[in-house]
Amino acid sequence: MPIEVLMPALSPTMTEGNLAKWHKKEGDPVKAGDVLAEIETDKATMEVEAIDEGTIGKIVVQEGAQGVKVNEVIALILEEGETAAAMSGPSAAKKAPEPPKTAPPAPTAQKPEPPPAATARAGGNGAAHGDRLFASPLAKRMAEQSGIDLGQLKGSGPQGRIVRADIEAALAKPGAGRGAPPAVKLPAVAPPAPVAPAPRLGASAFAKEQIVAAAGNLPYTEIPHTAMRRIIARRMVESKQNVPHFNLTVDCEIDALLKMRAELNAKSDAYKISVNDFVIRAVALTMHKVPRANASWSDEAVLQWKEVDVAVAVALDDGLITPIVKRADQKGLATIANEMKDLAARARSGKLKLDEFQGGTVSISNLGMYGIKDFNAVINPPHGCILAIGAGEQRPVVKKGALAIATVMSCTLSCDHRVVDGAVGAQWIAAFKTMIEDPLTMLL
């Protein structure tokens, strides 16, 4: 029975995705862990790995297809010994087009027989018709080497198939097997959570023809929306419509910070600390000083987080993504610098894992490298705050009653007023300014 490869739900908000690229073609052998395809999700381009071994029997959804629903069959993998004829069985029949609807037949007392697929899955312990066990070749070999009885296992793979993870789970039980080789754990994939349909943008989302006419029928080039761009648009509209923003701006003198940065970077080639790394560390430590800002809004209660996970906006060609420095308050500057360098590189190549860019308790958006003096960032729900960082530039300042020159960086905190009141936001931004201007406090 061919193994069905389904369109995965790679994020809680994903209901459909684009099949960006196939890494395998029909007839290619595959083994567990092989990259089969690249899926463009609402956040990034993610790789889909095989959980079983066999041969690509049929590619159902072609490369470049858009709007493929979650859990739709995208390919069929033939097991060892299976031929193309196996694809005419239940799996293929499942995808056959439905006949035209006609008037319903008159009711009869005869109960219809269950479809073949239902019969095949009735075993519940990996068994189907007769003595045949639905198990991957790898699982069969592992069971044989370990002395595991496949008939006693309940498969967790497609259609109840027994896969490697089921053998590993059996081996983990006391007294199981007879000296099985050490198992390699596969990353668990959570089942897709039900999500509500995305809301429409409303009356402001004019039809393309209306926009072209309003612009005077100028020539234009269409750039199709990616899944990422659609989600960014929806989330930003929702944020501005539903989250009551207020903004607080301070000017931070960073000459002492720049001096310390140069001294630290000169001590070792194992890291290269940036100004943004100091900002990440300062944001995390400030959340400890003012924990009421490390919170999110829910209809039942304000959720005050016990850990500080800092999400940092990274620009991509068609949008942005926010990789997360987890427990940033517990990490030193060198660790943050190396971790952020790795996260940013993998973000731009679409190699981030789901838990590396979803979540976080506060966001940072830094446009200083583009010469932007200051700006107001849009809050990324459910975060209660986002900090916008401008460029560090030399400006005239007054020190002890006299004019002087200092390197100044403008920072603006956008707050969700449902979670962070004005006084709390002001306390937070003041504590952040103190830490940035006295960077030794970050090393304590």
Side-chain angles (χ1 to χ4, degrees):
M1 183 177 180
I3 302 166
E4 294 179 343
V5 181
L6 307 179
M7 169 63 79
L10 299 175
S11 74
T13 59
M14 180 179 172
T15 57
E16 60 181 33
N18 302 335
L19 209 158
K21 181 180 180 181
W22 278 106
H23 286 267
K24 299 288 185 180
K25 59 182 183 296
E26 292 182 0
D28 282 357
V30 297
K31 56 182 181 293
D34 281 357
V35 176
L36 298 179
E38 292 181 8
I39 303 297
E40 187 182 66
T41 72
D42 56 357
K43 289 286 187 180
T45 300
M46 307 289 287
E47 293 178 343
V48 177
E49 296 183 355
I51 61 170
D52 238 320
E53 61 182 47
T55 303
I56 299 291
K58 183 176 182 180
I59 291 178
V60 179
V61 177
Q62 296 303 313
E63 185 174 293
Q66 299 195 5
V68 183
K69 301 295 183 184
V70 166
N71 290 331
E72 183 175 331
V73 177
I74 60 175
L76 297 173
I77 296 179
L78 297 173
E79 286 192 285
E80 184 178 354
E82 286 186 326
T83 64
M87 292 187 294
S88 61
S91 294
K94 182 178 177 180
K95 296 302 293 180
E98 296 183 1
K101 292 186 178 180
T102 58
T108 63
Q110 185 177 0
K111 186 177 180 180
E113 294 183 3
T119 305
R121 287 195 289 269
N125 65 341
H129 298 292
D131 295 328
R132 182 180 177 188
L133 286 167
F134 286 122
S136 72
L138 176 60
K140 291 177 181 176
R141 286 199 298 272
M142 291 178 64
E144 183 178 355
Q145 295 168 1
S146 311
I148 297 292
D149 182 2
L150 290 175
Q152 302 302 313
L153 301 184
K154 182 177 179 64
S156 62
Q159 287 83 48
R161 185 184 307 273
I162 299 171
V163 295
R164 178 170 65 176
D166 302 319
I167 304 297
E168 292 171 351
L171 289 173
K173 296 178 180 178
R178 54 166 189 267
V184 179
K185 288 190 176 181
L186 291 174
V189 178
V195 295
R200 297 178 63 85
L201 295 182
S204 62
F206 294 108
K208 179 180 66 178
E209 292 77 9
Q210 291 175 293
I211 295 173
V212 173
N217 295 308
L218 300 175
Y220 62 92
T221 300
E222 286 193 22
I223 303 174
H225 296 314
T226 62
M228 177 183 292
R229 177 54 59 191
R230 291 183 184 277
I231 293 298
I232 289 173
R234 176 173 65 82
R235 287 179 61 82
M236 293 301 96
V237 169
E238 288 176 348
S239 180
K240 291 298 286 186
Q241 286 180 341
N242 299 325
V243 177
H245 288 58
F246 74 92
N247 305 301
L248 302 167
T249 302
V250 292
D251 291 334
C252 302
E253 295 184 20
I254 61 171
D255 290 296
L257 185 151
L258 294 175
K259 183 175 182 291
M260 176 181 287
R261 172 178 176 256
E263 291 172 350
L264 291 174
N265 285 337
K267 290 181 181 295
S268 174
D269 294 329
Y271 54 80
K272 185 173 178 59
I273 301 171
S274 68
V275 172
N276 204 51
D277 299 325
F278 276 94
V279 171
I280 294 170
R281 172 78 171 155
V283 165
L285 294 177
T286 304
M287 281 299 182
H288 260 304
K289 288 181 175 291
V290 191
R292 288 174 61 187
N294 192 42
S296 297
W297 171 264
S298 79
D299 289 338
E300 292 77 25
V302 170
L303 309 179
Q304 187 168 310
W305 307 112
K306 294 183 179 180
E307 295 183 354
V308 183
D309 292 351
V310 181
V312 184
V314 172
L316 306 178
D317 289 340
D318 57 350
L320 60 85
I321 194 169
T322 52
I324 301 166
V325 180
K326 297 184 178 181
R327 292 178 287 279
D329 55 310
Q330 301 175 26
K331 296 175 180 177
L333 287 165
T335 302
I336 289 174
N338 289 334
E339 188 171 320
M340 195 61 224
K341 181 180 178 181
D342 172 64
L343 287 170
R346 289 192 291 115
R348 294 188 178 100
S349 61
K351 305 296 184 183
L352 287 179
K353 298 175 183 177
L354 187 63
D355 64 346
E356 291 178 321
F357 65 86
Q358 287 205 336
T361 63
V362 61
S363 303
I364 296 172
S365 180
N366 190 340
L367 295 180
M369 66 286 294
Y370 299 105
I372 302 301
K373 181 180 178 181
D374 62 78
F375 66 103
N376 298 332
V378 180
I379 294 170
N380 183 26
H383 299 174
C385 301
I386 182 170
L387 184 67
I389 306 296
E393 57 183 8
Q394 289 195 329
R395 302 181 199 170
V397 296
V398 176
K399 292 186 176 182
K400 298 181 179 179
L403 274 177
I405 300 295
T407 307
V408 179
M409 180 176 72
S410 295
C411 303
T412 301
L413 183 70
S414 297
C415 303
D416 180 347
H417 215 323
R418 300 171 302 177
V419 179
V420 179
D421 292 331
V424 174
Q427 183 184 355
W428 192 98
I429 198 70
F432 171 82
K433 173 182 169 70
T434 299
M435 197 166 296
I436 287 291
E437 294 187 338
D438 185 7
L440 274 174
T441 57
M442 297 188 212
L443 304 182
L444 300 178

